[in-house]
Amino acid sequence: MTALRAHRRGGPEQLVVERAPVPVPAAGEVLVAVHAAAITFDELTWEETWTRDGVSRTPVIPSHEVSGVVHETAPGVADFAPGDQVCGLIPFDRDGAAAEFVCVPASDLAPKPSTVSHAVAAALPLAGLTAWQALVDHAGVRAGESVLVHGGAGGVGALTVQLAAMLGARVTATVRSDAGDLVRGYGAARVIDVRTEGFDDAVYDVVIDTVGGETLDRSFPALRRGGRLVTLSAPPPAGRADEYGVTAIFFIVTPNSEQLTELAALVDRGRLRVEIAGTFPLEKGREAFESRGLPGRRPGKTVIVVRD
């Protein structure tokens, strides 16, 4: 098969398109014929991308969000059959979907939303599951609560704003762009462009931080006592939560077929919009990873299209 691989640890400069063996599914796994693979720019900096249990995994294949068609199932798979259209989040310490085929545990797949393309479906799993797990599993957001979402125009932030509004929260979102109207369309009652306005003139029940750094540090005083902060960038500074009388949680998203099935249903009912920043063919996979800083880049995920 054709695959995008890196033989040495590094950034996009290490990525090459080359021939590679078609993987063989183990018990409980599905071999997926990949149609589209969404990328996360930071994945080339993650330890799990390069090692498992301290041992190098190179050469590695990136892109851990997939949409495609079941090509083959191994023993122990009961929920899928060849020909089924699926999407899923691939564990980060496995080879990803920037290839013509990928093996995925069946328990990490869900039926593809039927009303959108494979490119859009591939952009749903990581961002959607991160938003769901941040809001529901970790923050426990309830109707009527005030929620501040940092980075509301980003891949994760956009779905977080939409899901928070569906939960009945009063949503404020920060952006660093001219995407205010777009984010208001997601359900944000207020959008703050942090280039010209601060976000700390109000107090919130919940903060979901997709940005990190100084934004994370400044979020603690923006919470009421007893509030909850969920950050996706790095663990919060030690003692900071106690200082302000809040709860602060850092987590890494995990595959969840049941949650992904619910998210796909929301897409099919027209309640959840998934934005695509741009698409690249597999043979330009390196350029896809290099596109992060392109001027005029649209909000949303970048997707590698493997098959039409």
Side-chain angles (χ1 to χ4, degrees):
M1 68 177 183
T2 301
L4 180 69
R5 298 204 295 181
H7 291 261
R8 290 185 297 277
R9 186 185 293 236
E13 75 282 353
Q14 298 295 340
L15 295 171
V16 295
V17 177
E18 60 187 10
R19 302 296 287 173
V22 175
V24 177
E29 294 183 352
V30 169
L31 180 65
V32 176
V34 179
H35 282 246
I39 72 172
T40 301
F41 292 113
D42 286 340
E43 67 183 273
L44 298 180
T45 69
W46 299 343
E47 187 65 27
E48 294 89 346
T49 296
W50 304 100
T51 64
R52 183 188 296 120
D53 298 328
V55 178
S56 173
R57 296 202 308 108
T58 54
V60 301
I61 299 174
S63 304
H64 288 81
E65 298 173 90
V66 62
S67 182
V69 177
V70 174
H71 185 75
E72 179 185 339
T73 61
V77 175
D79 294 333
F80 299 104
D84 288 348
Q85 297 193 38
V86 294
C87 64
L89 176 63
I90 303 166
F92 303 129
D93 62 352
R94 297 175 61 106
D95 277 341
E100 292 180 306
F101 294 93
V102 64
C103 286
V104 187
S107 58
D108 296 339
L109 292 170
K112 170 190 168 291
S114 61
T115 59
V116 297
S117 66
H118 281 286
V120 173
L124 174 66
L126 187 145
L129 288 171
T130 301
W132 182 298
Q133 291 169 18
L135 291 165
V136 178
D137 296 349
H138 298 291
V141 170
R142 299 181 293 273
E145 290 191 307
S146 56
V147 175
L148 174 63
V149 179
H150 288 305
V156 173
L159 295 186
T160 303
V161 169
Q162 293 178 70
L163 289 173
M166 285 182 214
L167 291 169
R170 304 189 310 275
V171 183
T172 298
T174 65
V175 298
R176 189 180 291 274
S177 67
D178 298 322
D181 288 342
L182 179 68
V183 177
R184 275 184 284 271
Y186 294 151
R190 181 187 179 194
V191 178
I192 299 170
D193 186 342
V194 295
R195 297 175 299 181
T196 59
E197 186 180 359
F199 62 80
D200 37 17
D201 62 347
V203 177
Y204 303 91
D205 296 304
V206 174
V207 173
I208 308 295
D209 169 39
T210 74
V211 177
E214 180 187 0
T215 298
L216 169 60
D217 195 56
R218 290 174 52 208
S219 294
F220 286 93
L223 279 164
R224 66 165 176 80
R225 292 193 70 82
R228 293 96 72 198
L229 183 150
V230 179
T231 180
L232 313 177
S233 57
R240 194 78 163 138
D242 291 339
E243 179 183 350
Y244 285 91
V246 301
T247 300
I249 300 166
F250 165 75
F251 82 101
I252 297 173
V253 64
T254 56
N256 187 303
S257 177
E258 182 177 348
Q259 292 174 351
L260 185 53
T261 299
E262 292 289 337
L263 290 163
L266 289 172
V267 171
D268 280 338
R269 294 202 296 270
R271 299 192 63 197
L272 197 62
R273 291 167 52 191
V274 181
E275 302 289 347
I276 300 294
T279 61
F280 293 78
L282 179 59
E283 59 266 24
K284 294 188 176 180
R286 174 174 168 175
E287 287 92 328
F289 275 89
E290 292 172 335
S291 69
R292 182 178 206 167
L294 290 179
R297 184 179 178 273
R298 296 174 52 196
K301 295 282 287 189
T302 297
V303 178
I304 295 173
V305 176
V306 179
R307 290 178 172 85
D308 293 332

